[in-house]
Amino acid sequence: MPTRREFVHRDKLLPFILLVCCFAAWGVVGTMTDPLVQVFSTVFSMSTLQASLVQFAYYGAYFLLAIPAALINQRYSYKTGVLVGLGLAICGALLFYPASLAMTYGLFLLALFTLAGGLAILETSANPFVISMGPEGNATRRLNLAQAFNPVGTNIGVLLAATLILPNLHSASSAERAAMSQADLLAIRSSELQAVMLPYVGFAFVLLAIWIGIALTRMPAQEKAKEAVEPLNGGFAATFRRLMHNAHYRWGVVALFFYIAAQTCTWTFTIQYAQQATGASHTEAGMYLQYSMIVFLVARFVTTWAMGYVRPSMLLVLLGAAATGLCLYAALNPGVSGVWALVAVSACLSLMFPTIYGIALMGLGEDAKLASGGLVMTLLGGALMPMVQGAAIDAFGAATSFAVPGLCFLAVVAYGLFHLSTSKAGLFDFRSTARKVAEPA
């Protein structure tokens, strides 16, 4: 029997390690995708708003496929969900090859949508799977530990973009491209899109190796037995009603939507901000994004350690307020100091997703399978708000646009305060709630 202090059940240690590889994997893809807004804006001579369809396709897939993923987990198992998600992501990554040959923006968006759809299923399955791998008392901290390896992937993703994609963009401006002959323009565009394709197709084989490892790993028989005998608690409609009556889950969905919006906006437009504020080249501006990922990586481990001493919701409030202040500083002070303020925002981002996610799922029992789908759907914020900020950049410039993520962080602060106030008043005890959910009727 597992002890209360046991962080991960012994028979789930190997599956936990393999899942950590998945957390790193979707970190690679996510941050390779962020610079594509700037890349496609240059390659296809589009406005920032038009190029922001990259994020709309990527995060829109999360919105559309999160609930189907939750139903897969509910009907079969978390392992099945992880394998389906990895398989679809592999197909999406391989689609970058024909897209680079066709040289059409729409086909790249289809490849991104397919890839992100697979990651949506993967993430919907992996997060609650990690939560289920040990005592619920340290579930939020365990998820933070697994998520701590996500920025390892984000750093790799930014490095790949900075070394394989951004340096291969031609220096010609939109006006210069418009003056070129069709043959010259197509030659330049082909070279640029080949550079975009290479890391995605290569990464498909990394995902395939992870898929094989998980497929060949025997999951604990205890989990399978549990999946077979536990009822579905009234089906989809009944589960949905229970979730909508749970204030911590309901407001957690709202907070996560605005967190994803703020994170995506910050990382997507750091390059544009650095270029406009300091006159940096594509490659030099890309290095600031790399610095952001390093800060994010270090801060994720630091905040996971800090949770042993400070309540996660208190850290959420403090870092959310700091992120708002840093974004507003960058908006009001365009220049080198503003760029470094945006780099510092990544330290604040580090604990937000797994902390909001973990708090929202506390005590939900089997309902967590559907609930996780609802939480992953909030990545729609990453599809919508970059378009808002992209329009703001076109109208007012990159600096002023950072008021958009600054305001989004206020929702994170509000959720942290909500959890602190209800917990202090004794209105929310996830351990007792978990016992009630687990008890037979």
Side-chain angles (χ1 to χ4, degrees):
M1 292 292 290
T3 66
R4 276 191 170 273
R5 293 186 178 182
E6 188 175 12
F7 197 67
V8 178
H9 297 331
R10 292 186 184 89
D11 59 347
K12 296 181 179 179
L13 182 58
L14 180 57
F16 178 79
I17 293 171
L18 289 170
L19 285 179
V20 164
C21 295
C22 294
F23 281 81
W26 74 65
V28 173
V29 176
T31 48
M32 273 202 304
T33 301
D34 287 334
L36 291 187
V37 173
Q38 177 66 18
V39 169
F40 288 136
S41 179
T42 300
V43 172
F44 294 106
S45 300
M46 297 184 297
S47 69
T48 306
L49 177 58
Q50 290 172 314
S52 294
L53 287 173
V54 166
Q55 300 293 31
F56 186 82
Y58 188 86
Y59 290 108
Y62 272 83
F63 177 77
L64 292 174
L65 290 177
I67 292 300
L71 296 177
I72 291 173
N73 293 330
Q74 192 177 58
R75 176 65 179 84
Y76 299 101
S77 67
Y78 289 133
K79 178 180 178 178
T80 300
V82 168
L83 291 176
V84 170
L86 283 170
L88 187 59
I90 291 167
C91 293
L94 291 175
L95 276 175
F96 274 77
Y97 179 69
S100 68
L101 297 179
M103 293 190 289
T104 57
Y105 185 45
L107 194 51
F108 274 103
L109 292 180
L110 175 62
L112 275 171
F113 182 87
T114 306
L115 172 61
L119 296 180
I121 298 173
L122 175 61
E123 193 162 349
T124 303
S125 307
N127 282 307
F129 201 178
V130 165
I131 287 175
S132 73
M133 287 183 168
E136 189 157 5
N138 55 27
T140 298
R141 197 177 181 201
R142 181 167 55 256
L143 183 57
N144 267 274
L145 177 62
Q147 287 274 358
F149 290 88
N150 177 262
V152 174
T154 63
N155 275 276
I156 295 172
V158 172
L159 181 62
L160 290 173
T163 57
L164 298 180
I165 298 177
L166 294 177
N168 289 295
L169 293 181
H170 198 276
S171 59
S173 65
S174 296
E176 292 169 335
R177 287 171 186 257
M180 291 179 181
S181 67
Q182 188 68 10
D184 289 342
L185 181 60
L186 288 177
I188 290 173
R189 185 173 292 175
S190 176
S191 175
E192 291 172 324
L193 294 179
Q194 288 290 319
V196 171
M197 173 272 296
L198 181 62
Y200 282 94
V201 172
F203 194 65
F205 293 96
V206 175
L207 294 177
L208 179 61
I210 297 174
W211 189 96
I212 293 172
I214 292 175
L216 296 179
T217 300
R218 182 182 296 276
M219 295 296 158
Q222 179 183 3
E223 182 199 344
K224 293 182 180 179
K226 180 180 178 182
E227 298 290 337
V229 301
E230 284 194 352
L232 297 181
N233 294 323
F236 180 91
T239 301
F240 181 79
R241 286 194 297 270
R242 284 194 297 273
L243 292 175
M244 289 302 98
H245 282 87
N246 184 313
H248 277 79
Y249 176 75
R250 189 171 64 247
W251 293 116
V253 169
V254 174
L256 207 56
F257 175 92
F258 283 104
Y259 161 73
I260 295 296
Q263 175 191 283
T264 307
C265 285
T266 301
W267 288 349
T268 298
F269 298 114
T270 292
I271 291 176
Q272 281 95 323
Y273 183 97
Q275 287 180 303
Q276 291 188 19
T278 68
S281 67
H282 286 300
T283 304
E284 292 168 342
M287 288 307 298
Y288 285 110
L289 189 58
Q290 180 74 72
Y291 300 147
S292 296
M293 297 304 103
I294 294 172
V295 168
F296 184 74
L297 169 63
V298 174
R300 178 60 67 79
F301 284 100
V302 171
T303 53
T304 300
W305 167 81
M307 283 182 182
Y309 304 93
V310 182
R311 294 183 66 181
S313 47
M314 177 60 73
L315 289 172
L316 200 61
V317 171
L318 295 175
L319 294 181
T324 296
L326 289 166
C327 284
L328 295 180
Y329 178 87
L332 296 172
N333 298 275
V336 175
S337 65
V339 176
W340 285 111
L342 294 182
V343 172
V345 168
S346 291
C348 304
L349 290 170
S350 61
L351 95 160
M352 290 183 184
F353 180 89
T355 301
I356 297 171
Y357 199 103
I359 292 173
L361 290 186
M362 281 179 176
L364 294 184
E366 277 295 289
D367 286 353
K369 291 183 175 179
L370 182 60
S372 66
L375 289 172
V376 171
M377 287 177 72
T378 63
L379 271 76
L380 182 65
L384 298 179
M385 296 309 290
M387 298 180 71
V388 174
Q389 189 171 357
I393 290 174
D394 291 337
F396 308 109
T400 303
S401 75
F402 272 88
V404 174
L407 294 174
C408 290
F409 281 120
L410 292 178
V412 176
V413 175
Y415 186 62
L417 291 172
F418 169 71
H419 184 252
L420 282 173
S421 62
T422 53
S423 299
K424 188 175 182 180
L427 299 176
F428 185 71
D429 182 349
F430 72 84
R431 292 181 180 84
S432 64
T433 305
R435 287 194 294 271
K436 291 176 183 177
V437 171
E439 287 171 359

